[in-house]
Amino acid sequence: MTTQEVADKLVGLCREGKYEEAYGLYAKDAVSVEMPGVPNEKTEGLDNILQGFAQWASNIEEAHGGTVGDPMVVGNHFVVPMTSDVTFKQGGRINMEEFCMYQVENGQITKAQFFYDPSVMGG
């Protein structure tokens, strides 16, 4: 798949709430990077990324909404603006806005990096 095809597929799956399927676009040795100082700032390997996602999702009490914007592709990278409005079991309701940047090699996502205001997360 081209970078554009990976971007379109990821956005489509996320808009349908099929996040676990979206991780099928990741390479086994993918890296996920959060903002500096945030817990699990760097996660290496798809299995660890999936474990982190499952842990994050299990802490959500209620999802109120969110958006997945259109991808912008430049070379083998693409950026997608996303928002989420969720209530955590501990920590209350959070409205989050972020840019999600992905690097694609050989038709798979090899790096995902997320840019947001960490103070929104209570950090």
Side-chain angles (χ1 to χ4, degrees):
M1 282 192 288
T2 67
T3 301
Q4 184 70 58
E5 289 168 336
V6 172
D8 291 342
K9 186 158 185 137
L10 179 88
V11 166
L13 289 169
C14 289
R15 285 179 177 165
E16 293 174 25
K18 297 178 179 176
Y19 299 106
E20 290 191 35
E21 278 186 52
Y23 284 111
L25 298 169
Y26 281 53
K28 286 279 182 213
D29 61 350
V31 176
S32 179
V33 182
E34 299 288 338
M35 293 297 291
V38 171
N40 304 314
E41 183 178 329
K42 184 175 183 183
T43 305
E44 297 185 27
L46 180 57
D47 290 342
N48 292 325
I49 292 170
L50 285 169
Q51 187 177 2
F53 173 74
Q55 184 178 10
W56 178 81
S58 72
N59 288 321
I60 294 175
E61 184 174 306
E62 184 179 354
H64 308 283
T67 61
V68 180
D70 293 327
M72 183 175 72
V73 176
V74 177
N76 69 327
H77 289 83
F78 67 96
V79 175
V80 180
M82 294 190 191
T83 66
S84 57
D85 179 5
V86 296
T87 299
F88 288 98
K89 292 174 183 170
Q90 297 172 345
R93 189 168 178 170
I94 295 174
N95 279 293
M96 191 164 153
E97 298 176 314
E98 64 183 329
F99 274 119
C100 309
M101 185 171 74
Y102 301 92
Q103 178 177 313
V104 177
E105 294 175 24
N106 301 317
Q108 293 185 304
I109 293 170
T110 55
K111 183 176 182 183
Q113 190 165 0
F114 306 97
F115 300 89
Y116 52 88
D117 179 356
S119 69
V120 173
M121 300 300 290

